[in-house]
Amino acid sequence: MSDDLRLAVATDAETLSRIRAPLAERGIHAEHVPTSSRTLRLDADLGAFDVGFVYPSRLMEGGVADAMLAVPWVNDREAVLRSRNKAGALARLARAGVPTPRSTLVSNPVDESALRTAFQRFDPPVVVKPNSTTRGTGIAKVSDLDSFLGVADYLDLVHDYRATGDRSYLLQEFLAEARDYRVMTVDGEYVGAVERRLPADALAEGRWKHNVHRGAEATGVSLDADLRRLAEQAADALGVDWLGVDLLVTDERAVVTETNARPTVDTATKYESGFYDRLAALIRSRA
């Protein structure tokens, strides 16, 4: 009996193109199984697979794919949801003693007096971010109460739409001049990290978001042991085996700002040796 596995990958992006050959060398054959932006007969055959990677980002389509494929996932629906809920993840991390930025959850509808009180707990500027988006989508930095109330008004308009599933957002302290790291963990262990930096011209323009999809550059780095442990503590607290952990580090402190249970795989040179052996072992443990 062959030990080869077939891996159903839910997204056809950088991750698939990067993991395909290294995993094939280890007997795991990754194939794209589209779950969105398509029509799909519910009696169709999506193929025979042993493991899924990672549970689809669109939960409704993911439920259909999950039913049709009937495979275990790295990561499964619960793991993806646990990480995607930024406030929920931060609350779990704080309860486990993992340092996080000072944050407040706003669950609409909220009256203006409550918003004023929440804003006044922070020293401006304050970061306002949707509770369940990725790639820096919808994140704003506000320096005064009137600007914050204006952003809140826009969010009210969005949340007033009946079909909006998530009607919450976060207020979070802004850490000026912090270094921004994305740390990868596999099965709770550190496997590599990148530092995300904006180009000098972007900084000169006053830009501050370090998301790669917004123009930041990701450079492989070797993290200090204490930062490695911090990322591993976050993965352990959330119980997510394949996790990207975002750290902000200043001269005074280091905090976990977000986590991502559907992280993009970067080029192999940005990870520790043995990265693909560990990833393959994790996938095999699910089969």
Side-chain angles (χ1 to χ4, degrees):
M1 179 176 168
S2 172
D3 290 331
D4 283 8
L5 298 179
R6 292 188 70 207
L7 182 69
V9 182
T11 51
D12 184 15
E14 297 99 330
T15 290
L16 178 58
S17 65
R18 288 168 179 159
I19 69 175
R20 196 191 298 270
L23 289 182
E25 294 170 0
R26 294 159 176 81
I28 299 173
H29 304 284
E31 301 177 33
H32 179 222
V33 178
T35 61
S36 59
S37 299
R38 62 173 297 185
T39 61
L40 180 61
R41 284 176 42 187
L42 298 184
D43 60 352
D45 182 2
L46 294 183
F49 292 90
D50 301 290
V51 183
F53 184 93
V54 173
Y55 195 91
S57 59
R58 293 188 183 182
L59 299 182
M60 295 300 101
E61 289 90 329
V64 174
D66 190 29
M68 297 175 76
L69 291 169
V71 294
W73 292 87
V74 179
N75 295 309
D76 62 14
R77 181 179 186 274
E78 287 70 28
V80 169
L81 285 175
R82 203 176 307 134
S83 172
R84 179 180 295 180
N85 182 341
K86 299 183 197 301
L90 289 171
R92 286 176 185 269
L93 294 173
R95 187 181 179 95
V98 178
T100 60
R102 288 188 299 115
S103 307
T104 295
L105 175 70
V106 179
S107 175
N108 269 335
V110 174
D111 63 38
E112 186 172 308
S113 63
L115 292 176
R116 287 174 178 270
T117 299
F119 183 84
Q120 289 164 356
R121 294 188 183 120
F122 295 87
D123 295 322
V126 178
V127 176
V128 184
K129 60 172 65 173
N131 192 32
S132 57
T133 61
T134 60
R135 301 183 175 185
T137 303
I139 297 178
K141 182 175 69 172
V142 294
S143 299
D144 58 84
L145 179 60
D146 283 342
S147 296
F148 165 58
L149 294 176
V151 171
D153 287 342
Y154 278 110
L155 289 168
D156 286 345
L157 293 174
V158 174
H159 294 165
D160 193 47
Y161 181 55
R162 221 177 263 184
T164 301
D166 179 10
R167 303 187 182 195
S168 61
Y169 58 96
L170 284 165
L171 300 186
Q172 198 166 78
E173 66 173 313
F174 178 70
L175 277 67
E177 300 181 2
R179 298 181 298 281
D180 186 315
Y181 299 104
R182 161 60 62 87
V183 187
M184 291 294 294
T185 61
V186 174
D187 205 10
E189 295 186 5
Y190 168 89
V191 293
V194 296
E195 181 175 1
R196 300 181 291 198
R197 302 174 185 168
L198 284 169
D201 57 344
L203 290 172
E205 293 171 356
R207 293 176 57 192
W208 57 278
K209 293 184 184 180
H210 294 139
N211 303 84
V212 172
H213 293 89
R214 296 296 175 95
E217 300 168 350
T219 304
V221 294
S222 180
L223 282 190
D224 293 340
D226 57 339
L227 297 180
R228 296 184 183 201
R229 284 193 297 270
L230 179 56
E232 291 175 344
Q233 290 167 2
D236 180 65
L238 293 184
V240 179
D241 293 327
W242 167 247
L243 188 67
V245 181
D246 292 349
L247 306 181
L248 288 181
V249 181
T250 68
D251 292 339
E252 292 78 30
R253 58 196 283 229
V255 296
V256 176
T257 58
E258 294 185 15
T259 62
N260 188 342
R262 305 188 81 256
T264 298
V265 174
D266 216 312
T267 54
T269 56
K270 296 178 182 177
Y271 298 111
E272 301 289 300
S273 62
F275 166 72
Y276 276 106
D277 290 332
R278 292 187 182 185
L279 178 56
L282 175 60
I283 292 169
R284 288 190 175 279
S285 74
R286 292 290 182 273

